[in-house]
């Protein structure tokens, strides 16, 4: 015997959100690509693999230098690597010896000693407002067996002193050594993830502890980027009104 199924009310259905990488969503709007070069189809995979190997080499060898970002650009036979770091002295070394070691390491990865490699070291002005450096700080504290709530609170205070407009931190895993893994997050200020013109710095980091691996995600809202073409009249300012033509004709 046939039974009629009741109609589903769309208002009662809860739609799930679709998470997306904030950096990839804003490429070309407020974010730029981390690699700037063009290559034909045949050589593209090789160059892409080189970029990945160079970034992994820098992050592994200079983990104590606080490198937050690595920008790579290619021009003919010249490779330019720009490092954004919170501690440039650790990276440069005495009389630039650290730069020479880094250049030699990149030459070994490329397997081409004749390739010209230029290295630019840029100091991060506000280290406590950088998402990657905040995530790295939380990971270091968690690896020292600090309680995750205290580590998050200390990182939040540092970011607020740096003058960020909003901050969101999420930690997942066996928090404080619990048997069941869970996710905890906190937010301070405003973090508009749906606003494309919002300048949001996003980073992830893994903390390796004795009781497992903890994942850390950090979102930092630094303000809105408004182009000159899209600027509107500020609030509280009355725009000039055109004079009435009829009154002028009379």
């Amino acid at each position: 015997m046939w039974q009629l199924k009741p109609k589903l009310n769309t208002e009662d259905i809860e739609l799930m959100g679709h998470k997306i990488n904030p950096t990839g969503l804003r490429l070309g709007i407020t974010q730029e690509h981390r690699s700037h070069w063009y290559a034909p189809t045949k050589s593209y995979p090789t160059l892409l693999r080189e970029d990945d190997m160079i970034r992994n080499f820098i992050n592994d060898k200079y983990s104590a230098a606080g490198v937050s970002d690595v920008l790579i650009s290619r021009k003919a036979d010249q490779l330019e690597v720009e490092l954004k770091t919170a501690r440039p002295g650790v990276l440069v070394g005495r009389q630039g010896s650290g730069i020479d070691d880094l250049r030699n390491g990149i030459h070994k990865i490329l397997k081409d000693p004749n390739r010209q490699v230029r290295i630019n070291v840029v100091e991060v002005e506000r280290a406590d407002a950088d998402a990657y450096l905040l995530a790295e700080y939380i990971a270091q504290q968690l690896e020292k067996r600090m309680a995750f709530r205290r580590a998050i609170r200390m990182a939040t205070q540092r970011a607020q002193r740096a003058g960020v407009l909003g901050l969101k931190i999420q930690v997942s895993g066996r928090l404080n050594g619990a048997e069941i893994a869970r996710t905890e997050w906190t937010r301070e200020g405003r973090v508009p993830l749906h606003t494309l013109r919002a300048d949001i710095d996003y980073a992830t980091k893994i903390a390796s502890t004795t009781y497992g691996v903890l994942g850390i995600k950090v979102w930092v809202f630094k303000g809105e980027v408004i182009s000159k073409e899209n600027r509107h009249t500020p609030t509280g300012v009355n725009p000039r009104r055109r004079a009435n033509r009829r009154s002028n004709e009379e």
Side-chain angles (χ1 to χ4, degrees), residues 62 108 138 248:
Y62 300 97
K108 289 181 181 179
I138 296 173
N248 295 336

Side-chain angles (χ1 to χ4, degrees), residues 137-208:
Y137 169 77
I138 296 173
Q140 291 174 356
Q141 300 303 318
L142 293 176
E143 289 175 353
K144 295 178 182 178
R145 303 182 69 88
M146 179 185 287
F148 77 96
R149 293 188 189 278
R150 185 183 177 193
I152 291 176
R153 185 169 64 251
M154 293 175 64
T156 303
Q157 292 174 356
R158 294 179 64 167
Q160 288 176 339
R161 285 196 296 267
V164 300
L165 299 180
L167 175 71
K168 180 181 177 182
I169 301 175
Q170 178 176 307
V171 184
S172 304
R174 295 183 58 189
L175 304 178
N176 293 340
E179 292 185 2
I180 299 177
R182 68 183 192 275
T183 300
E184 296 283 346
W185 64 275
T186 182
R187 181 177 60 213
E188 293 291 338
R190 192 166 66 96
V191 186
L193 297 179
H194 288 209
T195 306
L196 292 178
R197 66 172 178 266
D199 185 10
I200 293 181
D201 191 10
Y202 172 74
T204 60
K205 187 68 177 178
I206 294 176
S208 300

Side-chain angles (χ1 to χ4, degrees), residues 48-220:
L48 185 63
R49 178 61 179 163
E50 286 181 359
D51 286 6
D52 186 52
M53 293 173 65
I54 290 173
R55 287 191 172 94
N56 292 336
F57 167 73
I58 292 174
N59 291 330
D60 293 341
K61 186 173 182 180
Y62 300 97
S63 58
V67 179
S68 65
D69 205 356
V70 179
L71 307 179
I72 299 175
S73 61
R74 300 173 187 268
K75 300 175 183 177
D77 287 341
Q78 185 176 357
L79 175 68
E80 184 173 347
V81 181
E82 182 177 322
L83 306 174
K84 295 184 179 180
T85 174
R87 293 180 285 274
V90 177
L91 192 62
V92 175
R94 292 185 179 180
Q95 300 179 352
S97 60
I99 299 295
D100 296 334
D101 294 340
L102 177 58
R103 186 179 289 109
N104 294 334
I106 293 176
H107 278 146
K108 289 181 181 179
I109 294 173
L110 301 177
K111 298 180 181 178
D112 185 7
N114 298 325
R115 183 86 65 91
Q116 293 183 1
V117 178
R118 290 185 56 188
I119 299 175
N120 300 326
V121 179
V122 179
E123 184 178 2
V124 179
E125 296 180 357
R126 296 188 301 165
D128 292 335
D130 190 275
Y132 183 83
L133 296 178
L134 284 174
E136 190 177 44
Y137 169 77
I138 296 173
Q140 291 174 356
Q141 300 303 318
L142 293 176
E143 289 175 353
K144 295 178 182 178
R145 303 182 69 88
M146 179 185 287
F148 77 96
R149 293 188 189 278
R150 185 183 177 193
I152 291 176
R153 185 169 64 251
M154 293 175 64
T156 303
Q157 292 174 356
R158 294 179 64 167
Q160 288 176 339
R161 285 196 296 267
V164 300
L165 299 180
L167 175 71
K168 180 181 177 182
I169 301 175
Q170 178 176 307
V171 184
S172 304
R174 295 183 58 189
L175 304 178
N176 293 340
E179 292 185 2
I180 299 177
R182 68 183 192 275
T183 300
E184 296 283 346
W185 64 275
T186 182
R187 181 177 60 213
E188 293 291 338
R190 192 166 66 96
V191 186
L193 297 179
H194 288 209
T195 306
L196 292 178
R197 66 172 178 266
D199 185 10
I200 293 181
D201 191 10
Y202 172 74
T204 60
K205 187 68 177 178
I206 294 176
S208 300
T209 62
T210 56
Y211 41 81
V213 173
L214 302 179
I216 304 163
K217 293 182 179 181
V218 177
W219 295 260
V220 176

Side-chain angles (χ1 to χ4, degrees), residues 239-245 247-248:
R240 294 182 180 179
R241 296 182 178 179
R242 294 183 180 179
N244 194 353
R245 292 183 179 180
S247 60
N248 295 336

